[in-house]
Amino acid sequence: MNFDEIIDRRGTHCAKWDKMETVYGVSPEDGLPMWVADTDFRAPDVVLDRMRDMIAHGVFGYFDNTDEYTGAIRWWMDNRHGWKVEPDWIFTTTGLVNGVGMCLDTFTAPGDGIVLFTPVYHAFAKVIRNAGRKVVECEMANEDGRYTLDFETWDAQMTGDEKMVILCSPHNPGGRVWTREELQGVGDFCRRHDLLLISDEIHHDLVYPGQKHLPMPVADPTITDRLMMLTAPSKTFNVAGLHTGNVIIPDDKLRERFAARMAALNLSGNSMGQAVLAAAYSPEGAAWVDELMVYLDGNRRLFDTAIADIPGLKSMELDATFLAWVDFSGTGMERAEFTRRVEQQAGIAANHGTTFGLGGDNFLRFNLGTQRARIEDACARLSAAFGDLQ
């Protein structure tokens, strides 16, 4: 795979490129989109070949891909993550935000409190509010540029109206790979307050050398009676537009309730998405991911070095993901000013930290999942935009 190959996504209905002028005022003609969390890389050949075969066949009728699809998931989770999954635990949803929505719909009621450890992926709060539930923000501690889980403080916040926690593991936007002890702490927190747990592990494959992601049920096998696991190939293989994710539920009673709700809404996956997952979750797909992580590691190191050279800016050290979380508080600037410099002077569209909840005010999130030349360009632009600080 030539990850350096520049692929022009403009004018292809690509949200990241074609909507950034509307959202950020940054033109796709000369700007850099570093906001939407997909990459600018083509999917691996094993995926493209499978799609070409389907197109050549030319018939897209009703399908049944259950055995191949669930078999690929089971192989991937066992071989890449050390977690053994049974086929009847797996439900297919239209992506993972839909999976979160389905869990909220099945297991909670309007007005229930849903706990988020913030700052965290902005779509969680959006779908919670859209469902008529209440967002309960438990702000993480930022200790020397690393987020930590402050259960003692959060215990005092709980009122009894909370029914569920949504955990992001690995964490977006902070890039943390949670330790076994931290994940066990999450389990203990859920048990103390009788909370169900959604563990969104969509970034589980995107882990840097020296780090090891632990699936929640591997870290804490006793949590499975209240656990919904969310996984997908979308971030790993850049196939988010196929809207195929999985809700994996080990517990019989929870699974029965979820299955009934899925059946009532007559929800099922699409043929292309399921075929792509089956192709990607393979030895060929695994080899591609290993190459991808070497490349992303280079991007991460380049970007972090450039940020460290700008006085007042600090990028959190990433254990995982291709999403850099940059703290601008050291500049002494108001949020409007550092955001203006990034968008109007540097011509970069980056996610505003405020959308990630409490603790995000002084941050912007930058997507590093692009060609090295674009990372180099972004570094030069940011250095120039904050050149007066140097």
Side-chain angles (χ1 to χ4, degrees), residues 182-322:
E182 287 171 320
L183 293 171
Q184 289 172 348
V186 172
D188 291 339
F189 178 77
C190 290
R191 282 182 285 269
R192 281 196 301 275
H193 301 286
D194 194 21
L195 302 170
L196 295 174
L197 175 63
I198 294 174
S199 187
D200 180 348
E201 306 196 5
I202 196 169
H203 295 280
H204 60 178
D205 297 314
L206 303 171
V207 176
Y208 291 107
Q211 300 294 333
K212 174 66 176 175
H213 168 76
L214 288 175
M216 189 67 204
V218 173
D220 183 359
T222 66
I223 196 66
T224 55
D225 63 339
R226 57 183 70 240
L227 176 67
M228 287 72 69
M229 285 280 289
L230 273 58
T231 68
S234 50
K235 303 298 182 189
T236 308
F237 298 98
N238 202 26
V239 292
L242 294 174
H243 287 283
T244 299
N246 298 291
V247 177
I248 305 176
I249 305 178
D251 182 76
D252 293 343
K253 293 180 180 178
L254 294 177
R255 192 166 62 248
E256 182 179 358
R257 291 174 63 186
F258 195 83
R261 194 65 186 135
M262 290 282 286
L265 297 174
N266 196 31
L267 294 176
S268 60
N270 69 81
S271 58
M272 191 70 81
Q274 291 201 8
V276 160
L277 179 146
Y281 283 176
S282 64
E284 296 86 352
W288 184 88
V289 173
D290 292 342
E291 290 186 34
L292 171 69
M293 291 315 300
V294 171
Y295 191 85
L296 289 176
D297 191 30
N299 282 1
R300 171 187 67 149
R301 294 175 183 277
L302 175 64
F303 186 80
D304 285 354
T305 298
I307 291 297
D309 286 340
I310 302 174
L313 272 62
K314 185 175 182 179
S315 183
M316 278 198 172
E317 182 181 353
L318 296 180
D319 300 333
T321 86
F322 49 78

Side-chain angles (χ1 to χ4, degrees), residues 116 120-130 133 135 137 166 355:
L116 299 178
V120 73
Y121 178 44
H122 46 75
F124 292 158
K126 183 177 180 180
V127 73
I128 291 167
R129 294 188 177 107
N130 286 346
R133 278 65 170 170
V135 176
E137 295 188 62
I166 304 177
T355 64

Side-chain angles (χ1 to χ4, degrees), residues 17 36 42 90 135 185 193 228 357:
W17 284 84
V36 175
R42 284 195 178 92
I90 301 168
V135 176
H193 301 286
M228 287 72 69

Side-chain angles (χ1 to χ4, degrees), residues 146-159:
R146 299 274 287 177
Y147 284 127
T148 59
L149 305 175
D150 188 2
F151 297 113
E152 184 175 350
T153 297
W154 301 340
D155 282 339
Q157 280 187 239
M158 298 299 102
T159 66

